[in-house]
PDB file of all heavy atoms in Angstrom:
ATOM      1  N   ASP A 251      22.207 -21.341  -6.280  1.00 97.00           N
ATOM      2  CA  ASP A 251      23.012 -20.148  -6.795  1.00 97.00           C
ATOM      3  C   ASP A 251      22.339 -19.442  -7.934  1.00 97.00           C
ATOM      4  O   ASP A 251      21.081 -19.813  -8.223  1.00 97.00           O
ATOM      5  CB  ASP A 251      24.400 -20.689  -7.230  1.00 97.00           C
ATOM      6  CG  ASP A 251      24.347 -21.587  -8.347  1.00 97.00           C
ATOM      7  OD1 ASP A 251      23.239 -21.786  -9.053  1.00 97.00           O
ATOM      8  OD2 ASP A 251      25.382 -22.276  -8.726  1.00 97.00           O
ATOM      9  N   GLU A 252      22.959 -18.648  -8.713  1.00 96.00           N
ATOM     10  CA  GLU A 252      22.325 -17.845  -9.778  1.00 96.00           C
ATOM     11  C   GLU A 252      21.741 -18.701 -10.877  1.00 96.00           C
ATOM     12  O   GLU A 252      20.929 -18.377 -11.679  1.00 96.00           O
ATOM     13  CB  GLU A 252      23.294 -16.674 -10.246  1.00 96.00           C
ATOM     14  CG  GLU A 252      24.453 -17.184 -11.135  1.00 96.00           C
ATOM     15  CD  GLU A 252      25.578 -17.685 -10.129  1.00 96.00           C
ATOM     16  OE1 GLU A 252      25.452 -17.633  -8.992  1.00 96.00           O
ATOM     17  OE2 GLU A 252      26.606 -18.057 -10.819  1.00 96.00           O
ATOM     18  N   ARG A 253      22.421 -19.930 -11.063  1.00 97.00           N
ATOM     19  CA  ARG A 253      21.950 -20.860 -12.085  1.00 97.00           C
ATOM     20  C   ARG A 253      20.869 -21.830 -11.500  1.00 97.00           C
ATOM     21  O   ARG A 253      20.452 -22.764 -12.171  1.00 97.00           O
ATOM     22  CB  ARG A 253      23.061 -21.533 -12.728  1.00 97.00           C
ATOM     23  CG  ARG A 253      23.987 -20.627 -13.490  1.00 97.00           C
ATOM     24  CD  ARG A 253      25.052 -21.390 -14.247  1.00 97.00           C
ATOM     25  NE  ARG A 253      25.931 -20.492 -14.925  1.00 97.00           N
ATOM     26  CZ  ARG A 253      26.968 -20.964 -15.688  1.00 97.00           C
ATOM     27  NH1 ARG A 253      27.230 -22.238 -15.825  1.00 97.00           N
ATOM     28  NH2 ARG A 253      27.725 -20.046 -16.250  1.00 97.00           N
ATOM     29  N   LEU A 254      20.475 -21.734 -10.287  1.00 98.00           N
ATOM     30  CA  LEU A 254      19.519 -22.514  -9.564  1.00 98.00           C
ATOM     31  C   LEU A 254      20.042 -24.002  -9.229  1.00 98.00           C
ATOM     32  O   LEU A 254      19.433 -24.911  -9.111  1.00 98.00           O
ATOM     33  CB  LEU A 254      18.164 -22.617 -10.354  1.00 98.00           C
ATOM     34  CG  LEU A 254      17.541 -21.286 -10.548  1.00 98.00           C
ATOM     35  CD1 LEU A 254      16.198 -21.613 -11.360  1.00 98.00           C
ATOM     36  CD2 LEU A 254      17.185 -20.659  -9.289  1.00 98.00           C
ATOM     37  N   ARG A 255      21.455 -23.973  -9.097  1.00 98.00           N
ATOM     38  CA  ARG A 255      22.031 -25.162  -8.624  1.00 98.00           C
ATOM     39  C   ARG A 255      22.076 -25.223  -7.149  1.00 98.00           C
ATOM     40  O   ARG A 255      22.305 -24.201  -6.485  1.00 98.00           O
ATOM     41  CB  ARG A 255      23.511 -25.334  -9.219  1.00 98.00           C
ATOM     42  CG  ARG A 255      23.721 -25.449 -10.667  1.00 98.00           C
ATOM     43  CD  ARG A 255      25.058 -25.291 -11.169  1.00 98.00           C
ATOM     44  NE  ARG A 255      25.693 -24.058 -10.841  1.00 98.00           N
ATOM     45  CZ  ARG A 255      26.881 -23.615 -11.439  1.00 98.00           C
ATOM     46  NH1 ARG A 255      27.514 -24.434 -12.238  1.00 98.00           N
ATOM     47  NH2 ARG A 255      27.376 -22.455 -11.087  1.00 98.00           N
ATOM     48  N   THR A 256      21.933 -26.449  -6.608  1.00 98.00           N
ATOM     49  CA  THR A 256      21.923 -26.561  -5.161  1.00 98.00           C
ATOM     50  C   THR A 256      23.331 -26.710  -4.663  1.00 98.00           C
ATOM     51  O   THR A 256      24.321 -26.586  -5.380  1.00 98.00           O
ATOM     52  CB  THR A 256      21.035 -27.868  -4.711  1.00 98.00           C
ATOM     53  OG1 THR A 256      21.744 -28.920  -5.282  1.00 98.00           O
ATOM     54  CG2 THR A 256      19.670 -27.723  -5.306  1.00 98.00           C
ATOM     55  N   SER A 257      23.552 -27.159  -3.443  1.00 97.00           N
ATOM     56  CA  SER A 257      24.914 -27.387  -2.893  1.00 97.00           C
ATOM     57  C   SER A 257      25.491 -28.572  -3.537  1.00 97.00           C
ATOM     58  O   SER A 257      26.738 -28.780  -3.508  1.00 97.00           O
ATOM     59  CB  SER A 257      24.772 -27.553  -1.369  1.00 97.00           C
ATOM     60  OG  SER A 257      23.890 -28.554  -0.986  1.00 97.00           O
ATOM     61  N   ASP A 258      24.686 -29.407  -4.156  1.00 97.00           N
ATOM     62  CA  ASP A 258      25.222 -30.429  -5.054  1.00 97.00           C
ATOM     63  C   ASP A 258      25.107 -29.981  -6.486  1.00 97.00           C
ATOM     64  O   ASP A 258      23.945 -29.830  -6.988  1.00 97.00           O
ATOM     65  CB  ASP A 258      24.388 -31.721  -4.851  1.00 97.00           C
ATOM     66  CG  ASP A 258      24.995 -32.900  -5.783  1.00 97.00           C
ATOM     67  OD1 ASP A 258      25.527 -32.612  -6.802  1.00 97.00           O
ATOM     68  OD2 ASP A 258      24.777 -34.096  -5.348  1.00 97.00           O
ATOM     69  N   PRO A 259      26.190 -29.598  -7.257  1.00 95.00           N
ATOM     70  CA  PRO A 259      26.128 -29.011  -8.551  1.00 95.00           C
ATOM     71  C   PRO A 259      25.377 -29.795  -9.532  1.00 95.00           C
ATOM     72  O   PRO A 259      25.011 -29.324 -10.668  1.00 95.00           O
ATOM     73  CB  PRO A 259      27.484 -28.727  -8.901  1.00 95.00           C
ATOM     74  CG  PRO A 259      28.302 -29.727  -8.105  1.00 95.00           C
ATOM     75  CD  PRO A 259      27.554 -29.839  -6.774  1.00 95.00           C
ATOM     76  N   ASN A 260      25.164 -31.134  -9.292  1.00 95.00           N
ATOM     77  CA  ASN A 260      24.435 -32.000 -10.272  1.00 95.00           C
ATOM     78  C   ASN A 260      22.860 -31.982  -9.990  1.00 95.00           C
ATOM     79  O   ASN A 260      22.146 -32.578 -10.611  1.00 95.00           O
ATOM     80  CB  ASN A 260      24.934 -33.383 -10.132  1.00 95.00           C
ATOM     81  CG  ASN A 260      26.376 -33.438 -10.626  1.00 95.00           C
ATOM     82  OD1 ASN A 260      26.700 -32.938 -11.723  1.00 95.00           O
ATOM     83  ND2 ASN A 260      27.273 -34.107  -9.865  1.00 95.00           N
ATOM     84  N   ILE A 261      22.490 -31.173  -9.032  1.00 97.00           N
ATOM     85  CA  ILE A 261      21.046 -31.162  -8.618  1.00 97.00           C
ATOM     86  C   ILE A 261      20.652 -29.641  -8.638  1.00 97.00           C
ATOM     87  O   ILE A 261      21.217 -28.786  -8.014  1.00 97.00           O
ATOM     88  CB  ILE A 261      20.755 -31.749  -7.312  1.00 97.00           C
ATOM     89  CG1 ILE A 261      21.176 -33.151  -7.172  1.00 97.00           C
ATOM     90  CG2 ILE A 261      19.249 -31.599  -6.911  1.00 97.00           C
ATOM     91  CD1 ILE A 261      21.081 -33.878  -5.835  1.00 97.00           C
ATOM     92  N   TYR A 262      19.557 -29.450  -9.389  1.00 97.00           N
ATOM     93  CA  TYR A 262      18.925 -28.156  -9.505  1.00 97.00           C
ATOM     94  C   TYR A 262      17.702 -28.040  -8.722  1.00 97.00           C
ATOM     95  O   TYR A 262      17.017 -29.190  -8.488  1.00 97.00           O
ATOM     96  CB  TYR A 262      18.631 -27.799 -10.995  1.00 97.00           C
ATOM     97  CG  TYR A 262      19.902 -27.558 -11.771  1.00 97.00           C
ATOM     98  CD1 TYR A 262      20.633 -28.605 -12.363  1.00 97.00           C
ATOM     99  CD2 TYR A 262      20.233 -26.236 -12.128  1.00 97.00           C
ATOM    100  CE1 TYR A 262      21.764 -28.410 -13.049  1.00 97.00           C
ATOM    101  CE2 TYR A 262      21.437 -26.049 -12.867  1.00 97.00           C
ATOM    102  CZ  TYR A 262      22.093 -27.076 -13.356  1.00 97.00           C
ATOM    103  OH  TYR A 262      23.221 -26.851 -14.179  1.00 97.00           O
ATOM    104  N   ALA A 263      17.222 -26.980  -8.241  1.00 97.00           N
ATOM    105  CA  ALA A 263      16.032 -26.820  -7.511  1.00 97.00           C
ATOM    106  C   ALA A 263      15.274 -25.542  -7.975  1.00 97.00           C
ATOM    107  O   ALA A 263      15.881 -24.534  -8.223  1.00 97.00           O
ATOM    108  CB  ALA A 263      16.228 -26.718  -5.986  1.00 97.00           C
TER     109      ALA A 263
END
Side-chain angles (χ1 to χ4, degrees):
D251 65 11
E252 70 279 0
R253 295 187 183 180
L254 301 180
R255 294 175 297 196
T256 68
S257 53
D258 182 333
N260 293 314
I261 301 177
Y262 291 78

